[in-house]
Amino acid sequence: MKKYPFDSSGVAQWLAKLYSATITSQMMEQEHILLSLRSWLISRFDLSEDQIAYITTLSEDFKSNLAHEITFAINNQSPITLDKQTEEKRTGTLARDSVKVTEYESTNTQSDASDIAPESAFGQQFNRSLDGHLIIRIYYKLL
């Protein structure tokens, strides 16, 4: 399994590779994400010991919600952006002066009835206008 840098470029590389892969490969990636976000992050990205320790401190609910947001984006071939503050942007001088805070947001728009495609020969309707963008932000907050 290839590891990518844990920065915006690395996430973009991972996503490009994933979206060009087979549906089966994409489904396997989603299963891994949902099974254990921590394990998936460690296996997919180059993380420091501090980053791995930090992931462990996140609540299970937060990790579950984030895993579902990521898999939703993958299902819809939506962009995923990592907006990660670098160490150079820190204003504190000591590690204990700051704490990492992680948040996520997505803009998932549901289509209205006029956007739904007509029924197929099998009686199913397909919605082709679901759109969204998952942004994962990691920043430092002074205490």
Side-chain angles (χ1 to χ4, degrees), residues 30-99:
Q30 291 175 64
E31 287 174 17
H32 190 185
I33 294 166
L34 291 172
L35 184 62
S36 172
L37 182 67
R38 180 184 179 277
S39 170
W40 172 74
L41 285 167
I42 292 169
S43 68
R44 187 57 67 213
F45 297 98
D46 289 318
L47 301 175
S48 69
E49 293 293 323
D50 287 343
Q51 289 169 324
I52 294 169
Y54 177 67
I55 293 167
T56 304
T57 68
L58 297 172
S59 74
E60 290 304 316
D61 285 343
F62 181 86
K63 288 187 278 193
S64 176
N65 287 339
L66 182 55
H68 281 89
E69 289 283 340
I70 294 169
T71 58
F72 181 87
I74 293 169
N75 276 332
N76 291 285
Q77 300 270 317
S78 298
I80 299 174
T81 303
L82 176 64
D83 179 9
K84 185 179 127 204
Q85 186 182 59
T86 62
E87 290 293 320
E88 296 82 46
K89 294 180 184 175
R90 285 184 57 195
T91 55
T93 56
L94 300 172
R96 67 178 180 266
D97 290 340
S98 63
V99 63

